[in-house]
């Protein structure tokens, strides 16, 4: 059985590709690569086909995390499997998905899994360039998410 995890933000160039790369590295380090399919997408189409934002690529490279993905927009097919973990970066992303596709039974905000912050939304660093801060939040959330999935799935 493959566990699907899809990270979602607005344009799929800053936060969700960062989460995808961090989570994939955590999965690989845990020896669970063959158990997971990890991806990311955006609710909007502005950046489809583009590389991740230079700030995201920089912080990932500084942390030794590989990422070569390209932006894509979320589809109805992504939302079709009720077992897929749909993980949004903020309430606005969650609202956009709900408006576009209806309720998904396994949709969560990333920071609901955080152990080290009281923040509920991962702020978008596109205009603020707060990539280091966003990295810390996303890493914390991804660690908690993997821990939760491992418990729920018996891994």
């Amino acid at each position: 059985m493959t566990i699907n995890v899809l990270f979602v933000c607005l344009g799929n160039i800053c936060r969700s590709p960062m989460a995808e790369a961090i989570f994939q590295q955590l999965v690989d380090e845990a020896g669970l690569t063959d158990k997971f399919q990890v991806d990311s997408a955006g609710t909007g189409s502005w950046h489809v086909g583009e590389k991740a934002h230079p700030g995201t690529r920089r912080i990932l490279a500084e942390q030794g995390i590989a990422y070569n993905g390209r932006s894509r927009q979320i589809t109805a097919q992504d939302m079709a499997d009720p077992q897929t973990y749909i993980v949004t970066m903020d309430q606005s992303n969650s609202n956009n998905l709900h408006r576009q596709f209806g309720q998904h039974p396994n949709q969560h905000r990333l920071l609901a899994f955080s152990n080290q912050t009281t923040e509920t939304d991962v702020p978008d660093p596109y205009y603020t360039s707060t990539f280091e801060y966003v990295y810390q939040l996303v890493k914390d959330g991804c660690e908690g998410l993997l821990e939760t999935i491992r418990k729920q799935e018996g891994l």
Side-chain angles (χ1 to χ4, degrees), residues 124-154:
D124 191 341
Y126 186 79
Y127 294 107
T128 62
S129 295
T130 55
F131 288 93
E132 291 81 6
Y133 179 63
V134 167
Y135 173 83
Q136 293 302 323
L137 291 174
V138 170
K139 183 171 187 276
D140 182 30
C142 284
E143 289 169 346
L145 174 62
L146 182 57
E147 180 182 320
T148 298
I149 292 173
R150 288 185 78 165
K151 286 178 185 168
Q152 289 177 347
E153 304 293 337

Side-chain angles (χ1 to χ4, degrees), residues 1-7 19-21 23-25 27-28 32-41 67 69 72 77-78 81 83-87 106 145-146 149 153 155:
M1 178 181 129
T2 301
I3 299 164
N4 294 308
V5 179
L6 180 66
F7 294 99
E20 176 190 353
F23 192 78
Q24 185 66 60
Q25 183 181 52
V27 164
D28 294 347
L32 298 169
T33 306
D34 61 334
K35 305 271 188 215
F36 283 86
Q37 177 65 43
V38 183
D39 199 2
S40 65
Y67 184 76
R72 71 180 188 86
Q77 185 175 349
D78 291 321
D81 182 356
Q83 299 303 310
T84 297
Y85 288 83
I86 305 293
V87 185
N106 206 10
L145 174 62
L146 182 57
I149 292 173
E153 304 293 337
L155 300 176

